[in-house]
């Protein structure tokens, strides 16, 4: 069943790292026939490029070097029917499989706190959502990218549960990481995301909170559809 095909809105899904925002946003987009945009993937893609081009050495981010690289970075999403979602490309190269490593995760917060990085990516995100009909997940979508989004969700979950989820995900991919290392990364990214000077993670005043610590995806979906109907009917 499809809902209100004619009246397309913007759905902003913000919140803490590793609380299932992308999985949830993707499911919402599939249900509504909307486009799903994972803005975290864009910050990760810039971080990967910076790692591969010497702008990050031994975990230290050289901000000027990252800014200098920005003009060479062209990001686009292409729909992958097998995944039912879009893959991210940098300068035509598929990087989807390389952006979720612990190395990228450890460097993405400092990269995403660089003003010029945010300006470039926010402008791209606004362009992608100009026709509406998008579900965009990130940290600043409801506050900065689309303050006029019709429906704003703020997702959260217990940090230990979030670390366990990411651990299972990485293990399944064959990554050899410890739960402690992941939990440390989750907690330090929360801290960095909330305290950075530019566009810190915060709940928009008109956002609805979803704590999914103990909720399944179908339960979250049921919760969401009730909110969606309130806004669109
Ligand atoms: O959603 P994620 O964990 O893949 O995001 C990776 C990082 O990117 C996260 O630590 C913060 C940053 N980010 C951001 O600053 N603004 C966004 N809109 C999305 C992500």
């Amino acid at each position: 069943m499809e809902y209100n095909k004619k009246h397309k809105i913007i759905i902003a899904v913000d919140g803490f790292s590793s609380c299932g925002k992308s999985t949830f946003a993707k499911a919402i987009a599939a249900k509504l026939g909307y486009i799903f945009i994972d803005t975290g993937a864009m910050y990760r893609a810039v971080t990967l490029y910076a790692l591969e081009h010497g702008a990050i050495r031994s975990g230290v981010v050289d901000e000027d070097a990252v800014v200098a690289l920005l003009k060479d970075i062209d990001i686009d999403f292409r729909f992958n029917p097998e995944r039912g979602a879009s893959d991210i490309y940098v300068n035509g190269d598929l990087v989807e499989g390389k952006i979720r490593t612990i190395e990228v995760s450890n460097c993405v917060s400092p990269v995403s706190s660089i003003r010029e990085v945010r300006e470039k990516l926010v402008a791209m995100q606004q362009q992608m959502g100009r026709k509406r009909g998008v579900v965009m997940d990130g940290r600043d979508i409801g506050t900065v990218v689309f303050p006029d989004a019709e429906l704003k969700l703020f997702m959260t979950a217990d940090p230990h549960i979030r670390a366990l989820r990411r651990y299972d995900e990485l293990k399944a991919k064959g990554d050899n990481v410890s739960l402690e290392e992941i939990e440390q990364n989750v907690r330090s990214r929360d801290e960095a995301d909330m305290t950075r000077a530019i566009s810190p993670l915060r709940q928009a005043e008109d956002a609805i909170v979803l704590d999914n610590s103990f909720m399944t995806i179908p339960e979250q979906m049921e919760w969401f559809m009730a909110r969606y109907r309130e806004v669109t009917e």
Side-chain angles (χ1 to χ4, degrees), residues 203-230:
Q203 187 190 324
E205 273 172 24
D206 49 351
I208 318 167
V209 177
L210 171 61
D211 182 335
N212 70 3
S213 301
F214 302 103
M215 282 171 92
T216 61
I217 298 273
E219 285 167 348
Q220 293 175 58
M221 195 53 112
E222 195 178 321
W223 175 93
F224 167 76
M225 286 312 296
R227 306 287 89 72
Y228 177 76
R229 288 193 191 94
E230 282 164 17

Side-chain angles (χ1 to χ4, degrees), residues 39-40 43-44 108-109 112 118 138-140 189 193 196:
T39 64
Y43 289 93
R44 287 173 179 276
V108 66
S109 283
S112 66
R118 301 206 72 82
R139 303 293 188 288
D140 58 344
R189 280 205 292 146
D193 290 348
R196 70 170 170 238

